[in-house]
Amino acid sequence: EYDKPIGRFIHMYQEGEYDLDVRSQVLIYMADFAKDAEKVRKWLDGGRTVVLDRYVTTTMAYQGIRGFPVDGIVRLAEAVGLPAPDVILYLDITPRTSRERKMKEKGKLDRNESDSKLLENLRGFYAGLIEKGVFGKWERIDGSGTKECVFGKVKELLGL
């Protein structure tokens, strides 16, 4: 939520207004997740299905590839009470497709989106997370189709 204080700071970092070392990146993202942990837990306890975009697994990948130990991120997630997901959906697309979609959507790219080498390396890093089952069960979905096609695959996989 870029309209909240932590979200605004994250947005400014993503847009290159601030530089943060990898430890600070992990902690600021963890603070953002932690502020919503109780709300998510209440929804789950109330029997709701909760779908989160860019949950802690994204931090595991982006900050893990930059050298922060993934097991440390898992321990932090557990320490702040983040619920482990029932399933982690990885929408796999090429860096080129990602960049094209972001340009069409926003007209510009942030610090991560503009780095093709980073995006390509992340695909491999995610493959390792998936293979090891880090933080839960992963499902890879080909995200190269239309929004409707990909959403159909997601609904099918989740039984919705």
Side-chain angles (χ1 to χ4, degrees):
E1 296 174 277
Y2 290 145
D3 61 331
K4 306 288 184 198
I6 296 172
R8 279 195 301 272
F9 186 76
I10 288 171
H11 182 71
M12 289 187 294
Y13 162 72
Q14 291 288 50
E15 295 301 317
E17 295 179 43
Y18 293 102
D19 284 323
L20 299 171
D21 64 50
V22 70
R23 291 170 303 188
S24 298
Q25 293 168 33
V26 168
L27 292 174
I28 196 72
Y29 285 116
M30 200 59 63
D32 194 42
F33 298 132
K35 76 173 177 43
D36 294 327
E38 185 62 30
K39 177 172 46 175
V40 170
R41 187 158 307 284
K42 283 181 185 178
W43 289 339
L44 292 170
D45 290 345
R48 295 173 90 177
T49 298
V50 180
V51 178
L52 300 170
D53 179 25
R54 297 192 178 248
Y55 195 47
V56 72
T57 49
T58 302
T59 300
M60 290 174 190
Y62 279 81
Q63 280 58 53
I65 204 168
R66 290 181 170 110
F68 198 95
V70 172
D71 62 331
I73 297 171
V74 171
R75 286 194 308 273
L76 282 170
E78 291 167 346
V80 299
L82 297 182
D86 294 324
V87 65
I88 302 159
L89 305 179
Y90 173 66
L91 304 180
D92 188 19
I93 58 174
T94 66
R96 180 180 179 173
T97 299
S98 174
R99 290 169 58 122
E100 288 171 356
R101 287 180 179 176
K102 286 297 180 176
M103 281 301 292
K104 186 176 180 181
E105 176 187 328
K106 300 186 317 185
K108 63 180 182 168
L109 301 173
D110 70 23
R111 68 171 63 223
N112 293 324
E113 297 158 351
S114 63
D115 189 340
S116 295
K117 185 170 176 62
L118 171 68
L119 295 179
E120 190 59 47
N121 290 337
L122 276 167
R123 287 182 89 194
F125 200 89
Y126 270 112
L129 294 174
I130 293 166
E131 184 179 312
K132 295 173 187 168
V134 175
F135 207 57
K137 175 186 171 197
W138 291 71
E139 294 287 346
R140 183 193 163 280
I141 296 173
D142 178 359
S144 63
T146 64
K147 286 180 184 180
E148 295 77 19
C149 177
V150 174
F151 186 53
K153 292 176 188 177
V154 167
K155 289 193 311 187
E156 180 181 330
L157 196 107
L158 296 178
L160 303 173

